[in-house]
Short mmCIF file of all heavy atoms in Angstrom, two decimals:
data_model
loop_
_atom_site.label_atom_id
_atom_site.label_comp_id
_atom_site.label_asym_id
_atom_site.label_seq_id
_atom_site.Cartn_x
_atom_site.Cartn_y
_atom_site.Cartn_z
N ARG O 278 8.48 -11.40 14.77
CA ARG O 278 8.96 -11.94 16.05
C ARG O 278 9.81 -10.91 16.79
O ARG O 278 9.66 -10.70 18.00
CB ARG O 278 9.79 -13.20 15.79
CG ARG O 278 10.47 -13.78 17.04
CD ARG O 278 11.56 -14.77 16.65
NE ARG O 278 12.64 -14.10 15.91
CZ ARG O 278 13.66 -14.74 15.34
NH1 ARG O 278 13.71 -16.06 15.37
NH2 ARG O 278 14.61 -14.07 14.70
N ASP O 279 10.73 -10.25 16.08
CA ASP O 279 11.71 -9.38 16.72
C ASP O 279 11.25 -7.94 16.88
O ASP O 279 11.69 -7.25 17.80
CB ASP O 279 13.02 -9.40 15.93
CG ASP O 279 13.69 -10.77 15.95
OD1 ASP O 279 13.31 -11.60 16.79
OD2 ASP O 279 14.59 -10.99 15.11
N LEU O 280 10.39 -7.47 15.97
CA LEU O 280 10.03 -6.05 15.96
C LEU O 280 8.58 -5.77 16.33
O LEU O 280 8.23 -4.64 16.65
CB LEU O 280 10.33 -5.45 14.58
CG LEU O 280 11.79 -5.52 14.13
CD1 LEU O 280 11.92 -5.07 12.68
CD2 LEU O 280 12.67 -4.69 15.04
N GLY O 281 7.72 -6.78 16.26
CA GLY O 281 6.31 -6.54 16.59
C GLY O 281 5.56 -5.93 15.42
O GLY O 281 5.68 -6.38 14.30
N SER O 282 4.78 -4.90 15.69
CA SER O 282 3.98 -4.20 14.67
C SER O 282 2.86 -5.06 14.12
O SER O 282 2.47 -4.95 12.95
CB SER O 282 4.86 -3.70 13.51
OG SER O 282 5.82 -2.79 13.97
N ILE O 283 2.31 -5.93 14.95
CA ILE O 283 1.17 -6.73 14.53
C ILE O 283 -0.11 -5.95 14.77
O ILE O 283 -0.22 -5.20 15.75
CB ILE O 283 1.12 -8.08 15.31
CG1 ILE O 283 0.16 -9.07 14.64
CG2 ILE O 283 0.75 -7.87 16.77
CD1 ILE O 283 0.71 -9.67 13.37
N PRO O 284 -1.10 -6.04 13.88
CA PRO O 284 -2.39 -5.39 14.15
C PRO O 284 -3.20 -6.20 15.15
O PRO O 284 -3.03 -7.41 15.26
CB PRO O 284 -3.07 -5.38 12.78
CG PRO O 284 -2.50 -6.58 12.08
CD PRO O 284 -1.08 -6.70 12.57
N SER O 285 -4.07 -5.55 15.89
CA SER O 285 -4.91 -6.27 16.83
C SER O 285 -5.98 -7.05 16.07
O SER O 285 -6.40 -6.66 14.98
CB SER O 285 -5.59 -5.30 17.80
OG SER O 285 -6.62 -4.58 17.13
N PRO O 286 -6.45 -8.17 16.61
CA PRO O 286 -7.53 -8.92 15.96
C PRO O 286 -8.78 -8.07 15.75
O PRO O 286 -9.46 -8.21 14.73
CB PRO O 286 -7.80 -10.07 16.94
CG PRO O 286 -6.50 -10.26 17.64
CD PRO O 286 -5.92 -8.88 17.80
N ASN O 287 -9.06 -7.17 16.69
CA ASN O 287 -10.23 -6.32 16.52
C ASN O 287 -10.07 -5.39 15.33
O ASN O 287 -11.02 -5.15 14.57
CB ASN O 287 -10.47 -5.50 17.80
CG ASN O 287 -11.79 -4.75 17.75
OD1 ASN O 287 -12.85 -5.35 17.75
ND2 ASN O 287 -11.73 -3.43 17.70
N ASN O 288 -8.86 -4.85 15.14
CA ASN O 288 -8.62 -4.00 13.98
C ASN O 288 -8.77 -4.78 12.68
O ASN O 288 -9.29 -4.26 11.68
CB ASN O 288 -7.23 -3.37 14.06
CG ASN O 288 -7.22 -2.08 14.84
OD1 ASN O 288 -8.16 -1.77 15.56
ND2 ASN O 288 -6.15 -1.32 14.73
N CYS O 289 -8.30 -6.01 12.67
CA CYS O 289 -8.44 -6.84 11.47
C CYS O 289 -9.90 -7.16 11.18
O CYS O 289 -10.33 -7.23 10.03
CB CYS O 289 -7.63 -8.12 11.62
SG CYS O 289 -5.84 -7.85 11.66
N PHE O 290 -10.68 -7.35 12.24
CA PHE O 290 -12.12 -7.55 12.07
C PHE O 290 -12.77 -6.34 11.41
O PHE O 290 -13.57 -6.47 10.48
CB PHE O 290 -12.75 -7.80 13.45
CG PHE O 290 -14.26 -7.84 13.45
CD1 PHE O 290 -14.94 -8.99 13.08
CD2 PHE O 290 -14.99 -6.72 13.81
CE1 PHE O 290 -16.33 -9.02 13.08
CE2 PHE O 290 -16.38 -6.75 13.82
CZ PHE O 290 -17.05 -7.91 13.44
N LEU O 291 -12.39 -5.14 11.86
CA LEU O 291 -12.93 -3.91 11.27
C LEU O 291 -12.47 -3.76 9.82
O LEU O 291 -13.26 -3.35 8.95
CB LEU O 291 -12.48 -2.70 12.09
CG LEU O 291 -13.03 -2.62 13.52
CD1 LEU O 291 -12.37 -1.48 14.28
CD2 LEU O 291 -14.55 -2.45 13.50
N LEU O 292 -11.23 -4.10 9.55
CA LEU O 292 -10.72 -4.06 8.18
C LEU O 292 -11.52 -4.99 7.28
O LEU O 292 -11.86 -4.64 6.14
CB LEU O 292 -9.24 -4.43 8.17
CG LEU O 292 -8.60 -4.70 6.80
CD1 LEU O 292 -8.70 -3.47 5.91
CD2 LEU O 292 -7.14 -5.12 6.99
N ASN O 293 -11.83 -6.16 7.78
CA ASN O 293 -12.58 -7.12 6.98
C ASN O 293 -13.95 -6.59 6.59
O ASN O 293 -14.43 -6.82 5.48
CB ASN O 293 -12.72 -8.44 7.74
CG ASN O 293 -13.32 -9.53 6.89
OD1 ASN O 293 -12.77 -9.90 5.86
ND2 ASN O 293 -14.46 -10.06 7.30
N ILE O 294 -14.58 -5.87 7.50
CA ILE O 294 -15.88 -5.27 7.18
C ILE O 294 -15.73 -4.29 6.02
O ILE O 294 -16.56 -4.24 5.11
CB ILE O 294 -16.47 -4.58 8.43
CG1 ILE O 294 -16.84 -5.62 9.49
CG2 ILE O 294 -17.69 -3.74 8.05
CD1 ILE O 294 -17.30 -5.03 10.79
N GLY O 295 -14.67 -3.49 6.06
CA GLY O 295 -14.43 -2.56 4.98
C GLY O 295 -14.17 -3.26 3.65
O GLY O 295 -14.66 -2.84 2.60
N LEU O 296 -13.42 -4.35 3.69
CA LEU O 296 -13.10 -5.07 2.47
C LEU O 296 -14.34 -5.61 1.77
O LEU O 296 -14.38 -5.72 0.54
CB LEU O 296 -12.15 -6.23 2.79
CG LEU O 296 -10.70 -5.86 3.10
CD1 LEU O 296 -9.96 -7.07 3.66
CD2 LEU O 296 -10.00 -5.33 1.86
N GLU O 297 -15.37 -5.93 2.55
CA GLU O 297 -16.57 -6.52 1.96
C GLU O 297 -17.26 -5.56 0.99
O GLU O 297 -17.90 -6.00 0.04
CB GLU O 297 -17.54 -6.95 3.07
CG GLU O 297 -17.04 -8.15 3.87
CD GLU O 297 -18.06 -8.68 4.85
OE1 GLU O 297 -19.10 -8.01 5.05
OE2 GLU O 297 -17.83 -9.76 5.43
N THR O 298 -17.13 -4.26 1.20
CA THR O 298 -17.80 -3.29 0.32
C THR O 298 -16.81 -2.53 -0.55
O THR O 298 -17.17 -1.55 -1.21
CB THR O 298 -18.60 -2.28 1.16
OG1 THR O 298 -17.70 -1.57 2.05
CG2 THR O 298 -19.68 -2.97 1.96
N LEU O 299 -15.55 -2.95 -0.58
CA LEU O 299 -14.52 -2.23 -1.33
C LEU O 299 -14.89 -2.01 -2.80
O LEU O 299 -14.75 -0.88 -3.31
CB LEU O 299 -13.19 -2.97 -1.21
CG LEU O 299 -11.99 -2.35 -1.93
CD1 LEU O 299 -11.68 -0.96 -1.38
CD2 LEU O 299 -10.77 -3.26 -1.81
N PRO O 300 -15.36 -3.01 -3.55
CA PRO O 300 -15.69 -2.77 -4.96
C PRO O 300 -16.78 -1.72 -5.15
O PRO O 300 -16.70 -0.89 -6.06
CB PRO O 300 -16.14 -4.15 -5.46
CG PRO O 300 -15.52 -5.12 -4.52
CD PRO O 300 -15.52 -4.43 -3.18
#
Side-chain angles (χ1 to χ4, degrees):
R278 174 196 64 187
D279 294 345
L280 300 173
S282 299
I283 194 75
S285 73
N287 188 66
N288 273 15
C289 293
F290 172 82
L291 295 172
L292 169 60
N293 188 60
I294 292 175
L296 286 169
E297 290 187 350
T298 60
L299 181 61

